[in-house]
Amino acid sequence: MASALSPPRGPKGKGALPSHYYESFLEKKGPHDQDYKKFWAGLQGCTLYFYNSNRDSQHVEKLGLGAFVRLSDEAPGGSPRDPGIYFSLVLWNQEIKFKVESLESREMWKGFILTVVELRVPSNLTLLPGHLYMMAEALAKEEARRALEVPPCFLRVSRLEAQLLLERYPECGNLLLRPSGDGADDVSVTTRQTLHGTPVFRHYKVKREGSKYVIDVEDPLSCASLDAVVNYFVSNTNRRLVPFRLDEDYEKVLGHVEADKENGESVWVASSAPVAPGPGPAPASGGRKQLPPVPITPPPSQDKPPLLLNQNENYVIPIADAPAADYENEDVPSPSWQVVPKPRKLAKSLKPPIAPKPEPKGVNSGLAKKLAVGSVQALFPTTGFGSVHALGPAYQNTPVPFLIWKTIRLSKPS
């Protein structure tokens, strides 16, 4: 029994592939590379883009042709196991070597590179009529693209600033476009070359007439764009003049190439913005978490706490008003321990009363008592206490000074 036909599956959605003037596999070796690396390459504008495969929409490398000098063929490897065809691209500051699979592929790459750099279809290459037609189409697209954009060597600087830039950064080029000083839409071309060890600056005026740019020389030349003006100066000086490029093109978003889990295609993934690390060392991954630091509170005072008083000794602790604390927030913190003020020394410390000495028993004891009573009666004859016995039996053996004090107190009216 035949199974029912299922509807055809549509292609999975993916990023649109970029449009190139020419594209094919290309092996590249830079000045710092040890060996060739194979890419899918495409030419768009004056830039070569390199991809990991022909299904990727995001390039992994790119190479600008603004500092183009020449193309040259390289000798074959000489090994029967290496049937590759080699050629090199010489730029102002580096040389890139390429390897292709056939002579036709090498001629195609050289033809398209020369077309976009020189803005003309080369005639000294071994190409078929169909190939020349493809290059003519690429030339028309490139001319239309350049007519709408300003070349990278155009900077809005004055004449003096242009000379200073060319003198300070000779490795970036020696030809610069700038606005003309008359304030119109005209532009000026500033060049710098060395003659007998002395730098020589030249300035050329380019007039704007409608949509055309006319180079004001002995034989005026009309150009469709500013890029054509730059190309005229470069090609008519045997490429001694190189367009000035102060900064290279750099990516603004960090990303990486990642294989799609569903179809295995390489996809460009933009990395998320990293979180700014806080102060302190970063925690080690996979290890124990680092505990937060414990704040160390300094002691309230460097003085030692006062010694405790001896309870067996008699001290007089004066009671006085505590000094008022002066704080900005009117909040007095409680001390960590109770502060006991140090005792102050009195002028005269109180002494315990001295117990009376026992009277010696004998004949003179009765005489001493009679003398004491007589002295009291002599001092206070009108108190009515003619005898010590009037104070009671508890005061019979009391010393004389205390009896005098007691008598005076009893004599006072209540």
Side-chain angles (χ1 to χ4, degrees):
M1 180 177 180
S3 60
L5 296 176
S6 59
R9 296 181 179 180
K12 295 183 179 181
K14 59 180 180 179
L17 296 178
S19 175
H20 300 126
Y21 300 156
Y22 181 70
E23 57 186 6
S24 70
F25 283 104
L26 190 64
E27 296 186 35
K28 181 178 77 73
K29 180 181 178 182
H32 304 291
D33 297 334
Q34 298 295 332
D35 201 358
Y36 287 87
K37 186 176 181 180
K38 191 174 184 178
F39 295 97
W40 176 261
L43 176 63
Q44 175 64 35
C46 284
T47 307
L48 280 170
Y49 296 92
F50 300 93
Y51 308 83
N52 285 329
S53 71
N54 57 355
R55 295 178 297 178
D56 294 345
S57 59
Q58 178 63 40
H59 62 274
V60 294
E61 293 183 22
K62 65 179 181 179
L63 179 64
L65 303 177
F68 175 83
V69 177
R70 67 178 182 274
L71 285 169
S72 60
D73 297 337
E74 296 290 332
S79 174
R81 297 182 180 180
D82 185 14
I85 307 299
Y86 299 86
F87 71 99
S88 62
L89 171 64
V90 181
L91 302 178
W92 176 261
N93 54 355
Q94 61 179 330
E95 180 179 359
I96 310 296
K97 296 183 180 296
F98 296 104
K99 177 182 176 182
V100 293
E101 298 177 352
S102 62
L103 289 173
E104 179 183 357
S105 179
R106 185 186 68 181
E107 296 297 297
M108 290 289 288
W109 275 113
K110 291 170 59 179
F112 275 97
I113 291 175
L114 292 174
T115 298
V116 298
V117 169
E118 299 179 351
L119 289 180
R120 63 181 181 87
V121 177
S123 58
N124 56 347
L125 300 176
T126 306
L127 299 170
L128 297 175
H131 298 160
L132 297 175
Y133 179 77
M134 293 171 59
M135 294 176 188
E137 288 184 335
L139 176 59
K141 294 179 181 179
E142 181 64 15
E143 289 177 345
R145 184 189 69 85
R146 295 192 185 186
L148 300 176
E149 67 178 13
V150 178
C153 61
F154 180 85
L155 301 176
R156 296 189 177 278
V157 294
S158 63
R159 172 183 288 214
L160 179 59
E161 291 172 341
Q163 294 182 185
L164 292 175
L165 284 173
L166 294 178
E167 185 175 6
R168 185 172 299 178
Y169 305 101
E171 69 280 359
C172 296
N174 56 4
L175 182 147
L176 185 146
L177 268 67
R178 58 181 177 83
S180 181
D182 54 8
D185 293 337
D186 300 343
V187 297
S188 298
V189 179
T190 300
T191 64
R192 177 186 181 274
Q193 298 184 73
T194 303
L195 180 62
H196 304 299
T198 303
V200 179
F201 292 92
R202 294 286 185 267
H203 304 276
Y204 304 89
K205 189 165 187 178
V206 180
K207 297 180 180 180
R208 179 70 181 270
E209 296 181 357
S211 60
K212 301 290 185 179
Y213 293 91
V214 180
I215 303 175
D216 192 7
V217 290
E218 293 182 358
D219 187 10
L221 178 68
S222 178
C223 301
S225 63
L226 288 176
D227 200 86
V229 173
V230 175
N231 182 71
Y232 172 81
F233 279 88
V234 172
S235 58
N236 285 272
T237 56
N238 293 329
R239 301 194 174 276
R240 300 295 181 183
L241 294 178
V242 179
F244 185 84
R245 300 191 101 185
L246 184 60
D247 294 328
E248 294 291 337
D249 296 331
Y250 293 98
E251 297 292 338
K252 301 299 182 182
V253 179
L254 178 64
H256 61 278
V257 179
E258 191 175 272
D260 193 346
K261 297 181 179 180
E262 296 182 0
N263 52 18
E265 296 182 0
S266 298
V267 181
W268 180 267
V269 180
S271 302
S272 58
V275 180
S285 59
R288 298 178 59 185
K289 293 184 179 180
Q290 186 178 2
L291 297 178
V294 180
I296 301 175
T297 305
S301 174
Q302 299 297 332
D303 298 335
K304 295 182 179 180
L307 298 176
L308 297 178
L309 301 178
N310 190 354
Q311 301 297 333
N312 297 326
E313 298 182 5
N314 294 328
Y315 288 90
V316 177
I317 301 176
I319 301 174
D321 295 336
D326 188 10
Y327 292 95
E328 294 294 336
N329 54 357
E330 297 297 334
D331 187 9
V332 181
S334 61
S336 58
W337 58 74
Q338 185 177 2
V339 179
V340 180
K342 295 182 179 180
R344 297 181 181 178
K345 294 184 179 180
L346 297 179
K348 295 181 179 180
S349 59
L350 297 180
K351 296 182 179 180
I354 301 174
K357 296 182 180 181
E359 296 182 0
K361 296 180 180 182
V363 181
N364 296 330
S365 61
L367 181 60
K369 291 181 181 179
K370 292 180 181 180
L371 291 175
V373 172
S375 60
V376 173
Q377 291 177 353
L379 291 174
F380 307 100
T382 61
T383 55
F385 297 97
S387 177
V388 179
H389 300 281
L391 297 176
Y395 297 94
Q396 292 180 4
N397 298 325
T398 305
V400 175
F402 182 80
L403 292 176
I404 297 173
W405 173 79
K406 188 67 175 177
T407 305
I408 295 173
R409 187 174 182 181
L410 291 176
S411 63
K412 292 181 180 182
S414 57

